[in-house]
Amino acid sequence: MSEKTMHAAVLHAVGDLRYEEVARPEPRSGEVLLKVLGCGICGSDIPRVFVSGTYHFPTIPGHEFAGKIVYDPDGELDGKYAAVFPLIPCRKCAACEVGEYANCSDYDYYGSRRDGGFAEYIAVDKRNLILLPENVDPVVASLCEPGSVGRAAVRRLDVQLGDLCVIFGAGPIGLIAAQWARRAGASKVRVVDISDEKLAFAEKFGFEAYDQARDGLADCVLEGTGASPALANCVLSLKNHGRLVLMGNPGRDMTLPQKVYSQILRRELSIFGTWNSSFNSVTNDWTATVAAMADGSINYADLITHRVDLFDCNRALTMMRDKTEFFTKVTFVNPE
Ligand SMILES: [Zn+2]
Ligand SMILES: [Zn+2]
């Protein structure tokens, strides 16, 4: 392999992911070349690769990455480690004007609309970098993206001291959100999932884990599954005037039985949506996430159940699709 090429997992068509040698990206003005040291496989990458595809082909997927800046054309950041906010805002629309980049009406995205982190190198906009302190492992920092999404959701949940809080969905974002809720002062955080293995894993993080929660005692509930039965369970878990935040991306229409729906009215629930994460100078889930990685107040490292070589991309994605092994976060790791 020459200095001009690199290895990457390239999506050529739906279901056609190839580990191959491609041209190494060259940073344009305002960009740096990042050596990817860790890139998580998101749950959304499974349908992206096997069902829906990326916006065009070929594309390198992967939007959860961090690594080492190996070339900064301006010579400022060489040798530093960074995580990357994967959304490239237009910086022109009304949402961008107030820094609400997640709501941008015309954004670009590393790993779906343009090449992402299933690669050895990527050229990234300097404005999307979050520099890492020395004690943060860049492989763990690849969890900044789901970490920031989980924190943003808990901000919407507005946890009050002493709250009983329930998180539906014990995947990586659910377990990160549960930890933020505990940190925010919830007296009890329960995690609900239909998988016994996931419940056992959640218990290792100190959470009470259940396969359903319908006692109507919760002050606030986070729906992280995008499935109708869980949504009904969320509504029935809440006490009067409880708060429900919807985070899980649905795979199909969401429906509620009439009796459950009327409980939203009778219990006078408040329902909010949450989308992506905030990345601006006023509210920044990314810098908060990196700070929590640095001070150890939230355990991200143990969420990584699989560290895999890019060469094994197809095996890793197929394992996740077919659920042939228990996993929480599967992460591609490149040697530094
Ligand atoms: Zn993701
Ligand atoms: Zn915009």
Side-chain angles (χ1 to χ4, degrees), residues 183-201:
R183 221 187 98 161
S187 64
K188 203 166 268 180
V189 180
R190 292 179 177 156
V191 174
V192 180
D193 203 287
I194 52 175
S195 154
D196 289 339
E197 282 174 311
K198 284 189 178 179
L199 294 177
F201 194 75

Side-chain angles (χ1 to χ4, degrees), residues 90-93 96 104-106:
C90 77
R91 297 182 194 274
K92 289 181 198 136
C93 72
C96 281
C104 172
S105 57
D106 185 27

